[in-house]
């Protein structure tokens, strides 16, 4: 919370201007192209990160497919995760979020601009609709981010189990899976400090459909989790 307040204070002159544009865009996202909405979010995100004294160390951006749809699967450490990835992403993307987040002020507007989809984990039928919608949009070239852990780990750089169901959209879309290893992302908002903080984002080599076709979703989940854990372990040793 302290760092969020610091972000606002360091951008006090920009907040009314940026918030007005965000509210306008979120109220009528259909009036703007996806790239226009993406540029606005990047602008707000960049200012917040700079004001919040956070340094994003990006690695492996060359691994991101330049064309076609794909799904990012990062580990989930906290509220800052999406902001860290947004800071580095060269292309517009959307997210699948749990329904509990969709009406939180500011986040609601950000997600509206991203064209995010909300998932009710207590309703399997509605969940399947979201899975199919993500798959169809990815086939059309859109990019999505899904947190396969389902919730933040609250264990720092340790991962929770990845849920097999999170990979159903990728399997139906037959798209590349891009594992993303986040290191120290939780320290941005969850430590109560406003000291300068580095956060690492590692985009790992994409996994083409041919490499996981025929596997069970639980097997794909375990494979992606293992790749992310290996990268985090490497970072902590160096």
């Amino acid at each position: 919370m302290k760092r969020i307040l610091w972000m606002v204070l360091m951008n006090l002159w920009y907040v009314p201007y940026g918030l007005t544009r965000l509210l306008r865009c979120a109220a009528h996202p259909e009036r703007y192209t996806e790239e226009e909405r993406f540029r606005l979010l990047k602008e707000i995100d960049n200012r917040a990160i700079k004001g919040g004294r956070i340094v994003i160390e990006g690695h492996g951006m060359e691994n991101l497919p330049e064309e076609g749809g794909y799904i990012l699967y990062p580990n989930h450490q906290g509220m800052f995760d999406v902001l860290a990835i947004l800071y580095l992403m060269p292309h517009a993307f959307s997210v699948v979020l749990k329904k509990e987040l969709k009406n939180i002020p500011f986040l609601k507007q950000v997600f509206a601009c991203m064209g995010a989809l909300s998932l009710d984990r207590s309703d399997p039928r509605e969940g399947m609709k979201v899975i199919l919608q993500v798959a169809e949009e990815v086939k059309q070239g859109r990019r999505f981010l899904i947190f396969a852990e389902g919730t933040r780990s609250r264990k720092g750089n340790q991962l929770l189990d990845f849920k097999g169901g999170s990979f159903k959209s990728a399997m139906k879309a037959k798209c590349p899976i891009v594992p993303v290893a986040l290191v120290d992302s939780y320290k941005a908002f969850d430590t109560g400090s406003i000291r300068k903080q580095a956060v690492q984002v590692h985009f790992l080599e994409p996994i083409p459909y041919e490499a996981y076709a025929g596997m069970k979703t639980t097997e794909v989940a375990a494979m992606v989790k293992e790749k992310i854990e290996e990268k985090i372990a490497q970072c902590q040793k160096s």
Side-chain angles (χ1 to χ4, degrees):
M1 181 60 72
K2 287 183 180 179
R3 197 180 301 272
I4 295 175
L5 293 174
W6 190 257
M7 287 176 171
V8 173
L9 288 173
M10 291 297 100
N11 289 283
L12 205 54
W13 66 272
Y14 175 80
V15 169
Y17 171 69
L19 185 58
T20 299
R21 293 169 65 200
L22 178 65
L23 291 172
R24 186 184 303 124
C25 181
H28 299 285
E30 73 283 355
R31 296 180 183 176
Y32 305 85
T33 67
E34 186 174 37
E35 285 302 321
E36 288 173 333
R37 288 181 270 127
F38 179 64
R39 285 197 297 270
L40 172 60
L41 293 176
K42 288 271 283 188
E43 177 184 313
I44 294 172
D45 186 46
N46 290 0
R47 289 184 176 276
I49 288 173
K50 183 178 180 181
R53 307 184 71 209
I54 301 170
V55 177
I56 307 296
E57 300 176 1
H59 305 271
M61 277 77 79
E62 69 278 4
N63 289 325
L64 293 170
E66 293 187 7
E67 297 182 355
Y70 57 84
I71 302 180
L72 301 160
Y73 284 95
N75 54 310
H76 194 9
Q77 297 193 353
M79 293 172 56
F80 187 71
D81 298 347
V82 174
L83 301 182
I85 293 171
L86 174 62
Y87 183 84
L88 297 169
M89 280 291 288
H91 309 119
F93 69 99
S94 188
V95 299
V96 176
L97 59 126
K98 54 186 179 182
K99 71 169 187 176
E100 292 84 355
L101 298 177
K102 70 177 184 178
N103 291 319
I104 296 177
F106 182 72
L107 290 182
K108 176 181 179 180
Q109 284 72 34
V110 169
F111 291 139
C113 289
M114 297 183 83
L117 301 177
S118 62
L119 180 65
D120 184 352
R121 292 178 291 184
S122 66
D123 189 334
R125 182 176 296 181
E126 287 300 314
M128 181 54 66
K129 288 182 180 179
V130 172
I131 288 170
L132 294 175
Q133 184 174 348
V134 170
E136 284 303 311
E137 293 190 23
V138 171
K139 287 179 183 178
Q140 295 169 17
R142 293 198 74 206
R143 307 159 191 94
F144 272 85
L145 181 154
I146 297 176
F147 289 114
E149 289 164 284
T151 188
R152 54 181 172 173
S153 70
R154 299 184 185 276
K155 295 182 179 180
N157 291 313
Q158 297 181 44
L159 277 62
L160 300 176
D161 287 337
F162 277 28
K163 300 181 184 301
S166 301
F167 294 87
K168 288 182 179 179
S169 292
M171 299 188 82
K172 291 183 179 298
K174 299 182 179 180
C175 70
I177 287 172
V178 181
V180 184
L182 298 173
V183 181
D184 292 339
S185 180
Y186 71 98
K187 293 181 179 179
F189 289 157
D190 295 347
T191 60
S193 171
I194 59 172
R195 292 181 179 179
K196 189 173 183 180
Q197 176 63 50
V199 173
Q200 297 179 44
V201 181
H202 298 263
F203 297 100
L204 308 186
E205 290 188 14
I207 305 170
Y209 175 69
E210 294 73 20
Y212 65 87
M215 295 175 64
K216 296 179 180 178
T217 55
T218 52
E219 294 172 334
V220 179
M223 175 177 63
V224 174
K225 179 187 176 186
E226 182 179 4
K227 289 179 180 294
I228 293 174
E229 285 181 323
E230 288 177 354
K231 174 54 69 174
I232 292 175
Q234 291 174 9
C235 295
Q236 291 179 325
K237 288 179 181 179
S238 60

